[in-house]
Amino acid sequence: MPETQSPSATTGTSWIRIPDGTKVRLRTDNQEGVVDGLTEIVTGPGRNPDGRTQYRINLGDQARTLVVEDDLLVLVDAEGMVLMLKQKVEFRRFITQRLRGAFAADRFVRPA
């Protein structure tokens, strides 16, 4: 099975990584979790736009899964700011601006 890469990996544009602690929803089964890092020991055909990693998502109760960026939705609050663990509003605002510049509007959703 061929590797799948997003267009940004092949066109040379810089990749905006979703920071650790960002709350996300998996598109496949609507589970919500938190970005817990990256892994280069990748299983399956999908890769992040860097061409070599997948996100590690903490789903709670010590359950973790590997997911590519295209399979994630970013959770936001009522004002549209990215939800993150233990971060000040200024940092959340900065991350929101960066991610909104990198992703389409439909990638930002409210928690279930």
Side-chain angles (χ1 to χ4, degrees):
M1 189 180 299
E3 278 189 41
T4 58
Q5 292 182 342
S6 72
S8 61
T10 56
T11 60
T13 59
S14 63
W15 174 47
I16 305 292
R17 180 185 182 281
I18 300 171
D20 293 355
T22 303
K23 295 184 179 186
V24 294
R25 179 182 300 152
L26 296 133
R27 285 186 181 199
T28 55
D29 58 9
N30 289 326
Q31 290 187 62
E32 293 183 0
V34 177
V35 174
D36 191 22
L38 292 175
T39 187
E40 288 192 44
I41 303 172
V42 177
T43 61
R47 303 285 189 279
N48 284 326
D50 64 357
R52 60 190 171 102
T53 63
Q54 289 179 339
Y55 285 102
R56 191 174 51 248
I57 306 298
N58 181 341
L59 299 172
D61 295 330
Q62 299 191 6
R64 287 185 172 56
T65 190
L66 296 177
V67 180
V68 295
E69 182 177 279
D70 289 340
D71 293 339
L72 293 174
L73 300 172
V74 179
L75 298 180
V76 295
D77 63 14
E79 288 83 39
M81 275 205 322
V82 171
L83 292 172
M84 300 182 79
L85 298 178
K86 302 178 185 177
Q87 295 297 335
K88 294 185 179 186
V89 70
E90 294 83 10
F91 183 70
R92 288 180 49 219
R93 187 174 292 119
F94 170 74
I95 294 301
T96 299
Q97 291 172 343
R98 288 197 64 186
L99 293 179
R100 287 201 179 271
F103 298 136
D106 65 347
R107 297 282 301 274
F108 298 89
V109 296
R110 301 274 305 270

